[in-house]
Amino acid sequence: MTMSASNSIKGGLLTLLAAVVAAGASTLCCIGPLLYLVFGISAAGLVGIPGASWLQIPMVIVAVGLMARGFWRLHLSPKPVCVNVVSRRVLVWLYWLAVPLVLALITYPYVLPWVWEWME
């Protein structure tokens, strides 16, 4: 076995080990939801936590502020948007696809009771 083949095998094993460590580290985000699942707590049950209701208005303000910032950067800013990976046109399309989704998520606590009443 030559020296370069030995280095190649060691490099391959090191890469494989790094990949296994990275895969294990990437699953750490799932431990919390997995514990909820194991103990029978669902996201629907966590919605009714009265202690977290004070976060609704600040999160709405953050969401609207970030959408306004995105609009400003895409349409009004003299500094062009960085388009290394995708084109500006794709960014504009993605922005305008995200706007209705964000608005729906922001307004659903207020609109949903009207929809339920309308469906009865």
Side-chain angles (χ1 to χ4, degrees):
M1 188 183 280
T2 65
M3 188 62 139
S4 64
S6 174
N7 286 340
S8 175
I9 292 173
K10 286 180 184 177
L13 289 176
L14 187 60
T15 302
L16 182 62
L17 178 64
V20 168
V21 169
S26 70
T27 61
L28 290 177
C29 68
C30 302
I31 288 177
L34 183 62
L35 289 175
Y36 287 140
L37 181 66
V38 167
F39 292 112
I41 302 171
S42 68
L46 295 175
V47 169
I49 297 175
S53 64
W54 64 275
L55 286 172
Q56 184 177 7
I57 298 299
M59 290 298 124
V60 167
I61 292 170
V62 168
V64 170
L66 289 173
M67 292 306 289
R69 170 88 171 137
F71 180 83
W72 185 80
R73 283 291 306 217
L74 283 172
H75 297 291
L76 304 174
S77 175
K79 184 179 175 185
V81 176
C82 180
V83 289
N84 290 335
V85 177
V86 295
S87 68
R88 183 181 178 283
R89 184 173 35 173
V90 172
L91 289 175
V92 169
W93 271 98
L94 290 174
Y95 174 80
W96 287 111
L97 286 173
V99 166
L101 176 66
V102 170
L103 288 177
L105 291 173
I106 287 173
T107 59
Y108 92 89
Y110 309 108
V111 175
L112 194 59
W114 291 345
V115 171
W116 284 343
E117 189 176 306
W118 177 72
M119 292 177 71
E120 287 182 348

